[in-house]
Amino acid sequence: MKHKLPDLNYGYDSLEPFIDAKTMEIHYSKHHQAYVDKLNVALEGHKELLDKPLIELIIELDKVSEEIRQTVRNNGGGHLNHSFFWQILKKDVKIKGKILEAIIKKFGSLDKFKESFKSASMNHFGSGWAWLVYVNGDLEIITTSNQDNPLSTGKIPLLAIDLWEHAYYLKYQNRRADYVDAFFYVINWQQVESNFIEAVKHLINQKYTRYKLEPKRVGK
Ligand code: MN3
């Protein structure tokens, strides 16, 4: 079965004024769609890979034949990362619960976490993503280049910001710092909390979290 662009469960203007409707529309319907389409084209001649969960392709890239490996890495990663990203965006969600406790324990305070996350985002050169991940029973901020996903290195994503210019250039031009500041207003902390709880369970049953993060093949 082909990979599909997952439904966006909110309007393009839902994150205004922090992320503008035009950026959301192009980002979702053009950029994300292109990753899905290119992934499907690459897998066309490899039926056995088409039925594999996307997450398994990304974690076990070495099992993907060399001629399409880089295409799967870029476009499969793009599909996985964006499917994740849309879910952790929502306005007016207050942070609370276990994720707040864990962030305070690790970083000292929510503000200190934001400072570190922003600094990681600013210091990342070129295109990529900054992530809050769960690894070895602890929280960590990391960045990845291009469309690489932390799962490839055994780290479970809880939260992510897209650092590609296509994610912010229309509204913020080269001002990545302003975009990161705005991002903090549209984090769906309820989803991040749920990702965190799943990640903690992952210590017991590895496959559980893997498949929770797998994009569903319904939509366009
Ligand atoms: Mn993007």
Side-chain angles (χ1 to χ4, degrees), residues 1-7 9 32 36 39-40 43 48-60 72 75-87 149 151 156-157 191 195 198 202 206-219:
M1 198 205 289
K2 284 191 169 190
H3 293 274
K4 301 268 178 72
L5 183 68
D7 290 330
N9 293 320
H32 190 171
V36 173
L39 175 65
N40 282 326
L43 295 178
E48 74 290 352
L49 295 179
L50 193 56
D51 289 330
K52 252 188 144 180
L54 176 60
I55 288 173
E56 280 187 19
L57 288 181
I58 294 300
I59 291 177
E60 299 169 343
V72 169
N75 294 285
H79 177 30
L80 183 61
N81 294 348
H82 288 85
S83 299
F84 178 83
F85 186 52
W86 309 133
Q87 290 182 12
N149 187 286
L151 286 168
I156 304 170
Q191 183 63 46
N195 294 343
E198 295 301 333
H202 173 90
Q206 290 221 340
K207 289 212 155 179
Y208 194 66
T209 293
R210 281 195 188 185
Y211 291 111
K212 283 274 172 186
L213 293 175
E214 177 73 19
K216 292 187 174 51
R217 300 197 194 191
V218 290

Side-chain angles (χ1 to χ4, degrees), residues 17-109:
F18 306 105
I19 300 179
D20 61 292
K22 196 71 193 164
T23 295
M24 283 301 292
E25 182 181 355
I26 295 171
H27 200 176
Y28 169 78
S29 74
K30 304 289 185 210
H31 290 280
H32 190 171
Q33 182 74 66
Y35 294 123
V36 173
D37 293 345
K38 286 178 187 164
L39 175 65
N40 282 326
V41 168
L43 295 178
E44 236 161 48
H46 304 262
K47 294 290 177 214
E48 74 290 352
L49 295 179
L50 193 56
D51 289 330
K52 252 188 144 180
L54 176 60
I55 288 173
E56 280 187 19
L57 288 181
I58 294 300
I59 291 177
E60 299 169 343
L61 269 173
D62 54 320
K63 292 188 181 165
V64 174
S65 74
E66 213 179 332
E67 53 175 319
I68 60 165
R69 191 176 298 152
Q70 195 58 39
T71 308
V72 169
R73 181 177 180 172
N74 293 341
N75 294 285
H79 177 30
L80 183 61
N81 294 348
H82 288 85
S83 299
F84 178 83
F85 186 52
W86 309 133
Q87 290 182 12
I88 58 96
L89 297 176
K90 196 178 183 182
K91 241 174 16 182
D92 302 325
V93 183
K94 209 169 159 8
I95 182 170
K96 56 181 182 179
K98 294 199 186 316
I99 187 64
L100 179 59
E101 283 171 29
I103 281 177
I104 290 173
K105 188 173 165 218
K106 173 72 183 183
F107 301 97
S109 70

Side-chain angles (χ1 to χ4, degrees), residues 27-28 31-32 35 78 81-82 85-86 128-129 146-147 161-168 179:
H27 200 176
Y28 169 78
H31 290 280
H32 190 171
Y35 294 123
N81 294 348
H82 288 85
F85 186 52
W86 309 133
W129 296 74
N146 303 317
Q147 295 296 354
I161 182 169
D162 189 339
L163 299 175
W164 286 58
E165 284 187 344
H166 68 226
Y168 60 89
Y179 162 64

Side-chain angles (χ1 to χ4, degrees), residues 133-140 154-156 203:
V133 296
Y134 188 68
V135 57
N136 299 326
D138 202 5
L139 299 181
E140 199 184 319
K155 300 175 179 182
I156 304 170
L203 286 179

Side-chain angles (χ1 to χ4, degrees), residues 137-188:
D138 202 5
L139 299 181
E140 199 184 319
I141 293 169
I142 62 164
T143 63
T144 58
S145 287
N146 303 317
Q147 295 296 354
D148 287 349
N149 187 286
L151 286 168
S152 303
T153 49
K155 300 175 179 182
I156 304 170
L158 307 178
L159 170 70
I161 182 169
D162 189 339
L163 299 175
W164 286 58
E165 284 187 344
H166 68 226
Y168 60 89
Y169 205 86
L170 276 183
K171 184 175 172 78
Y172 297 101
Q173 291 80 47
N174 61 328
R175 304 188 307 278
R176 186 184 278 187
D178 292 352
Y179 162 64
V180 178
D181 286 337
F183 170 76
F184 291 127
Y185 289 93
V186 292
I187 296 175
N188 184 349

